[in-house]
Amino acid sequence: MSEEFHRIRRLPPYVFEHINPIKAKARAEGVDIIDLGMGNPDLPTPTHIVEKLKETVANPRTHRYSTSRGIPGLRKAQASYYGRRFGVKLDPNTQVVATLGSKEGFANMAQAITAPGDVVLVPNPTYPIHSFGFIMSGGVVRSMPADPNEDFMRSLDRAVRHSIPKPIALILNYPANPTAYVASFDFYKEVVDYCRRNEIFILSDLAYSEIYFEDEPPHSVLEVPGAMDVTVEFTSMSKTFSMPGWRMGFAVGNERLIAALARVKSYLDYGAFTPIQVAAASALNGDDSCIEEVRGIYRHRRDVMVESFGRAGWHIPSPAATMFAWAPIPDQFADLGSLEFAKLLIRETGVAVAPGVGFGEYGDQYVRLAFVENEQRIRQAARAIKKFLGGQASNGNVVPLAKG
């Protein structure tokens, strides 16, 4: 009875749990922690969305069980969004499922399509559920490059030719968490062509489609002719509309895959609270002004972070999209690895970051910084880091902690 459960044994230790106790201890001792670690949007949900929720929740009929596929109006709103934004036509009855955020959608899709021993190709580094969803489902993960370039296609071909059994699915995530890479339309065309020829499903995470800072908006892989034959794409309202706690997302695309996901979900949940779904539909059907405002705030925070951290002595590449910067560990600390560097940074500066190794072993020379603090707090973090990198003791913001 003392043996650990089978599925739990398959999961590695959660790296971020090494950081959370240090943050909690510091806060308990009065340290002002500037938390750039978790990608938890701090911006308020737009007022018109909140008002629609309040209006709907006042109707007792909306308090009953909902439906795991999503109410019809919400699925129609998501289909309309894809038509406007990407020029992709979707049947809301057969090609759209509402999910409890994209994370739940990925996990349940893994449950729906994975047999024990199935091979899935996953970028490394990447958002943890892309790997762990399949690991928990009995699958085998094979790492792929995260950068959408020619090496990706060569690696894809090698993986397919040398994996036994042949991979069942390829995970894509652009704009990427944590690396902020953005894929071109030509890259998607190559991937779709290869996966169709080799009968491999594509599962695309497009959670950051609206958080971009260049002139050309990110593409959907479903824009590629023929992609619908093999692809399901996951989106989320968490970042686009600052609705992380609302847990509202979607899976759209191939009817067979969508049907499999819908069937699994029908056994596991009754869907999101109906007023949340109604408010989400209202958000999708509205104009883009609130999205543009959110995008502008993250762009400004990005610019402040890149500029102020650079002057502090830590060069951070400027991301073209997402709400994250993927920052190489400063040279003098590279031998520590990302976890120990993240611990050291909290102790010495009061700044929390996400260790890159938490997104895969190939991320261990990086940390992820989230744009979830305002401009003043970002500059405050930069000042503390400048003192730290300059070898000066920080005496105002930080209480020394025991090593651990």
Side-chain angles (χ1 to χ4, degrees), residues 176-404:
N177 177 9
T179 60
Y181 293 139
V182 178
S184 69
F185 184 71
D186 287 341
F187 170 79
Y188 280 143
K189 285 173 63 178
E190 281 194 81
V191 171
V192 168
D193 178 64
Y194 187 92
C195 289
R196 289 182 72 200
R197 284 189 283 110
N198 289 276
E199 299 183 326
I200 298 170
F201 293 125
I202 298 171
L203 304 180
S204 170
D205 186 344
L206 195 63
Y208 295 90
S209 60
E210 300 298 349
I211 311 300
Y212 60 90
F213 313 123
E214 307 299 330
D215 292 335
E216 183 179 3
H219 291 279
S220 161
V221 66
L222 288 172
E223 294 177 50
V224 177
M228 199 71 72
D229 295 341
V230 293
T231 304
V232 162
E233 193 157 66
F234 298 84
T235 57
S236 168
M237 302 190 72
S238 296
K239 280 72 180 183
T240 302
F241 294 99
S242 301
M243 296 169 61
W246 298 53
R247 306 315 303 136
M248 197 74 254
F250 302 92
V252 306
N254 178 268
E255 291 186 12
R256 180 187 172 202
L257 291 172
I258 291 295
L261 173 60
R263 185 169 185 184
V264 167
K265 282 177 61 62
S266 70
Y267 284 92
L268 298 177
D269 71 69
Y270 285 108
F273 187 36
T274 297
I276 290 177
Q277 297 193 50
V278 172
S282 175
L284 290 167
N285 288 329
D287 64 43
D288 292 340
S289 58
C290 64
I291 300 175
E292 292 170 0
E293 182 180 359
V294 167
R295 190 184 300 133
I297 290 171
Y298 284 133
R299 180 189 288 111
H300 181 63
R301 290 179 178 183
R302 175 202 65 170
D303 294 344
V304 169
M305 180 178 289
V306 169
E307 181 267 335
S308 62
F309 278 47
R311 286 193 293 106
W314 189 1
H315 172 67
I316 296 175
S318 182
T322 76
M323 55 185 289
F324 306 114
W326 187 234
I329 298 173
D331 291 342
Q332 62 268 46
F333 301 104
D335 60 339
L336 290 179
S338 60
L339 179 57
E340 292 306 316
F341 176 71
K343 291 179 181 179
L344 180 66
L345 207 60
I346 294 176
R347 295 186 185 109
E348 300 298 328
T349 71
V351 177
V353 299
V357 71
F359 304 95
E361 65 269 31
Y362 296 120
D364 199 25
Q365 289 303 303
Y366 295 80
V367 295
R368 192 192 71 179
L369 307 167
F371 310 145
V372 292
E373 295 275 10
N374 63 38
E375 174 188 341
Q376 290 74 26
R377 296 281 283 170
I378 292 171
R379 293 192 185 280
Q380 181 183 344
R383 290 193 294 271
I385 286 168
K386 184 175 183 178
K387 291 181 180 180
F388 169 59
L389 294 179
Q392 300 178 35
S394 178
N395 55 16
N397 190 48
V398 177
V399 176
L401 302 179
K403 302 289 185 181

Side-chain angles (χ1 to χ4, degrees), residues 74-84 88 90-92 96:
L74 178 59
R75 286 183 278 118
K76 289 178 182 177
Q78 176 69 351
S80 295
Y81 163 74
Y82 257 78
R84 295 191 310 271
V88 174
L90 294 168
D91 183 338
V96 180

Side-chain angles (χ1 to χ4, degrees), residues 106 110 118-135 139-147 152 155-156 159 163 167-174 177 200-201 203 359-362:
F106 250 97
D118 278 348
V119 176
V120 179
L121 306 177
V122 181
N124 188 339
T126 194
Y127 187 54
I129 196 63
H130 298 156
S131 296
F132 295 160
F134 290 95
I135 290 171
V140 176
V141 168
R142 178 164 180 162
S143 292
M144 291 284 296
D147 199 345
F152 183 100
S155 297
L156 174 59
S163 293
I168 64 163
L170 167 68
I171 309 303
L172 299 179
N173 173 215
Y174 305 107
N177 177 9
I200 298 170
F201 293 125
L203 304 180
F359 304 95
E361 65 269 31
Y362 296 120

